[in-house]
Amino acid sequence: MNPKGSYKNSDNGIETQVLYLNYGATGGVSDLNPADNTFYVAHCSTWGSLPGVNSLGFTQASKSRLNGRIIGVSCSAWFTTTGSSLPVYVELYIRNANFPTTTSAGKKKRIGQVYWNDQFNPQPSFIPCDIPIKRGDSISATFLTPAWPTNPLRVNYTMQIFIEGRSTLQYPKKVQGLKNYDALWNCASNNALSDSTRYSFVQFNTPLTAGTTNLWYQVSPYTGFIEEIFYSCLNASGVQGSSELSELRVRIVDQKNPNLSGDYLAGYVSFDMPISTAITKFLPCEIPVRKGQLINLYFITGVFATNPTTSRMYAYAHIRGN
Amino acid sequence: MNPNGSISIHEQGIKSTHLRYISCASLTVLASTIYYIHAPVTQTVLQTTSRGGGLASPYDGFITGCAIYNRNTNGLTNNAPSSLFVTIKTQKQIDSPVDFFPFSRTAFVGWFSFRAMIGIGATGQFIDCRIPIKKGEVVEPWFVSGAFNSTPTSNLSEYNFVIEGR
């Protein structure tokens, strides 16, 4: 396949998914002051939690929604104190969906290196790779630090992992070539969930919003359908909730034509995850959306026998359109 | 073109993804000021000096738009438009200890507003554009804020640049 040439039939209909790994040093979590010769795990979320040391971090890993391959990683970092000119190795860990809680196994691939030696130049880079992955596999990334003469301080980084593949074996011709976009929400702060309450997904590591004011919207770049919602919820500590189901819903707001606004039920989710473990789930749906419309993702809790506490949530709506 | 309909041959095989930038700490956005939007995104804030935090495109193609998401917890402002730009830098030495960017170019993306809708709390806007980009090139966005009649305070914002290509 030539990037400037024609596409084979077998290449048509290939989708892209992007996963985010971010860490920022302010806002209530500790600074990352990396030590020598140490693995740091970048969590596939934007919860802002401190990278774990010598931990594979799969309880917070995100999942591939595609059968395909990881084609590359975009990396960028900045910090307050510059380190020495030695490379930090970037590695990806991939874990099969059938073993979600074990921390010792998984595939590890070293894909390249980055430098944290110039605080005024984050040295953004695209590291190409070609790693097979299946739908439902968990992905984490680690940094393996060198033995720096001078260690960088207060490191902030971001990575975007790009996956290409298909969510089904083959798209029919009529939907080949449609484009993809993931509208993302993440809620970092701990929330105890009440019964029969509406909670809106928010952004920027803020708590879930109860009620119907101050809703947090994403905007759709394409006209098409929300075809899938990925939902992940972590119980960081506290009480494990019981398994009663809650409704996960989508509100579409058209700013120009209110008649096109509407509410849709995407599916049901539970919050009975064990402590320090995340529930991750794909909810297939078919919700029409137009370019420029606002999307609000929210859920209405059930009546819990035991209410879950300290829930951190992360979700995206996958839009497929033109 | 209908999402359930046919796709022309030249559009088949085009992939799409996006680069996400977030200003996560509350910021008062001053009028008529340059702000740089950085990619180490989780909890960083808009900066008035560049830290150069860009993200690299995985495809040869175009930046075809930017979805912008704004929330001002305090301070309403008018619709005075702000102008969004991207500086695109060519990545030459990703394996070098010191990257350098001998070639860069700047493109105007479009206009957007910091006006937050009352009762909703956040605005979503989508800017159409068509800016050529190559695989591995780094996108560094920035904007010049509008001549507001009052300043948006405690601003949180998110910028998703949509990349389409091969």
Side-chain angles (χ1 to χ4, degrees), chain A residues 115-126:
Chain A
Y115 293 87
W116 292 346
N117 67 335
D118 183 352
Q119 72 181 93
F120 300 110
N121 180 1
Q123 292 144 303
S125 60
F126 183 75

Side-chain angles (χ1 to χ4, degrees), chain A residues 265-281:
Chain A
L265 173 63
Y268 293 90
V269 294
S270 64
F271 298 102
D272 55 338
M273 52 279 179
I275 308 303
S276 300
T277 302
I279 283 178
T280 55
K281 194 171 184 180

Side-chain angles (χ1 to χ4, degrees), chain A residues 12 16 20 22 26 74 78 122-123 158 160 164 174 176 179-180 203-205 215-217 221-222 291 322, chain B residues 1 5 7 12 15-16 18 22 39-40 42-43 51 55-56 59 69 71 97 120 126 128 158 162 164:
Chain A
N12 288 336
T16 305
Y20 310 92
N22 303 304
T26 58
S74 183
W78 63 268
Q123 292 144 303
T158 190
Q160 295 193 243
E164 284 185 0
K174 66 177 183 179
Q176 288 180 9
K179 296 158 190 164
N180 306 278
Q203 257 303 7
F204 310 129
N205 305 321
L215 304 182
W216 298 66
Y217 287 94
Y222 298 127
K291 181 176 181 175
N322 53 38
Chain B
M1 182 168 55
I7 305 292
Q12 289 186 10
K15 296 161 189 164
S16 60
H18 52 284
I22 295 178
T42 302
Q43 289 162 352
R51 281 172 162 161
L55 287 169
Y59 296 133
Y69 171 69
R71 186 173 193 239
I120 289 184
F126 189 78
D128 280 306
E158 177 177 316
V162 178
E164 294 179 5

Side-chain angles (χ1 to χ4, degrees), chain A residues 183 185 198 215-220 222 224-227 229 249-265 285-298 317 319, chain B residues 120:
Chain A
W185 293 262
R198 175 174 174 160
L215 304 182
W216 298 66
Y217 287 94
Q218 293 285 359
V219 61
S220 173
Y222 298 127
F225 294 93
I226 298 173
E227 292 203 331
I229 291 173
R249 303 182 69 99
V250 178
R251 172 143 182 84
I252 305 290
V253 172
D254 193 303
Q255 297 177 87
K256 294 178 180 173
N257 186 352
N259 292 330
L260 297 178
S261 300
D263 283 88
Y264 301 87
L265 173 63
C285 53
E286 194 82 4
I287 298 171
V289 67
R290 291 189 181 191
K291 181 176 181 175
Q293 284 182 334
L294 303 182
I295 304 164
N296 175 235
L297 198 61
Y298 67 97
I319 300 163
Chain B
I120 289 184

Side-chain angles (χ1 to χ4, degrees), chain A residues 16 18-20 71-77 122-128 158-162, chain B residues 17-21 38-40 52-61 63 87-92 94 99 101 133-141 161-163:
Chain A
T16 305
V18 55
L19 299 177
Y20 310 92
I71 62 161
V73 178
S74 183
C75 298
S76 187
Q123 292 144 303
S125 60
F126 183 75
I127 303 174
T158 190
M159 301 169 76
Q160 295 193 243
I161 298 174
F162 298 99
Chain B
T17 187
H18 52 284
L19 306 177
R20 183 181 299 267
Y21 304 77
H38 289 87
L55 287 169
S57 169
Y59 296 133
D60 285 339
I63 302 171
T87 296
I88 297 170
K89 294 180 174 177
T90 304
Q91 182 184 322
K92 286 295 181 187
I94 62 172
D99 281 352
F101 301 104
I133 193 162
K134 289 188 173 178
K135 178 176 180 175
E137 287 188 330
V138 172
V139 178
E140 295 182 6
F161 287 89
V162 178
I163 311 274

